Amino acid sequence: PYKDRFAGKKVLVTGASQGIGEATALRFAQEGAQVALNGRKEDKLIAVRDKLPKVSGGEHPIATGDISKEEDVKRLVAESIKAMGGLDVLVCNAGYQIASPSEDIELEDFEGVMAVNVTGVMLPCREVIRYWLENGIKGTIIVNSSVHQIIPKPHYLGYSASKGAVGNIVRTLALEYASRGIRVNAVAPGAIVTPINMSWVNDPEQYKAVSGHIPMKRPGESREIADAVTFLAAEDSTYITGQTLYVDGGLTLYGDFEKNWS
Ligand code: NAD
């Protein structure tokens, strides 16, 4: 972490109760930011807050709510802004996936994934951008996409569709608000060690199989995604907008060509 890179900055992270969201919240707090923690379960968010460095002049607010529900998002964005006295950075991180052969996909499952991964990005972006426009704030948004924004993922139709949509949400919002100083970018992680991936992380055979597909021959760590998110939020990236930064150990490089190049 850089010392005080985000001192005085106010950040809202969705889906901050574990995994990449937790690591991202931790990194912002380590670098001096005040961080509003969103998730659905207050007790889990309080446990995360207990691990964050304290911020001077207040505490990291808990912003409980379902990110796919309009009323929840309106309330939790307003509460976060009130508790911190402002907002400079929005990280749309919450997301999940459901596996099923596409011929058997349940409508409810497809719509559920789209609701969190797509509507759950649109709603907080809308609320926060409106606040920034009303107050002349040049804020920045980082959305957590996935390599499946461009790599098809059979058996995960909703997830693939949702991350493709996220790429275009980022590009569209970036264009719409660029002239008003609001930047919008995405990070696209490859295979990352997080609680949802523990089944293959803890199975030596599967771990080897997953790692073997990655040119760098290992999965990523949540903190390596936090590195990219904070870069896109910082003064280091003031001329970057509408981009997706792939953080994937080379997974999007057509790895088979490393050996089969003829
Ligand atoms: P995770 O399941 O560990 O964390 C997801 C977080 O989102 C949790 O805190 C969960 O409670 C929260 N969440 C889910 N639905 C929510 C809702 N309706 N409202 C509010 N919060 C909700 O997952 P993760 O691996 O840390 O993934 C975080 C993001 O990174 C997701 O968008 C995921 O698609 C993306 N991603 C992860 C990987 C990976 O390998 N782990 C790879 C590519 C992309």
Side-chain angles (χ1 to χ4, degrees), residues 14-22 38-41 44-45 65-69 76 92-97 115-117 144-148 159 163 187-197 200 222 225:
T14 75
S17 61
Q18 62 178 39
I20 295 169
E22 176 181 358
N38 161 255
R40 287 158 301 173
K41 297 203 178 96
K44 288 188 84 177
L45 296 169
D66 183 332
I67 212 67
S68 67
K69 301 262 179 344
L76 72 90
C92 296
N93 165 77
Y96 78 108
Q97 58 185 13
V116 175
N117 297 12
N144 199 345
S145 179
S146 163
V147 289
H148 299 296
Y159 192 73
K163 295 303 184 178
V187 295
I192 309 300
V193 176
T194 65
I196 50 165
N197 288 332
W200 62 258
S222 290
I225 306 305

Side-chain angles (χ1 to χ4, degrees), residues 4 33 42 57 63 70 74 101 105 107 117 161 165 188 208 243 247 250 252 257:
D4 295 338
E42 190 176 14
E70 186 170 29
K74 282 185 167 176
I105 196 165
L107 178 60
N117 297 12
K208 213 172 137 196
Q243 303 304 309
V247 187
T252 41
F257 278 80

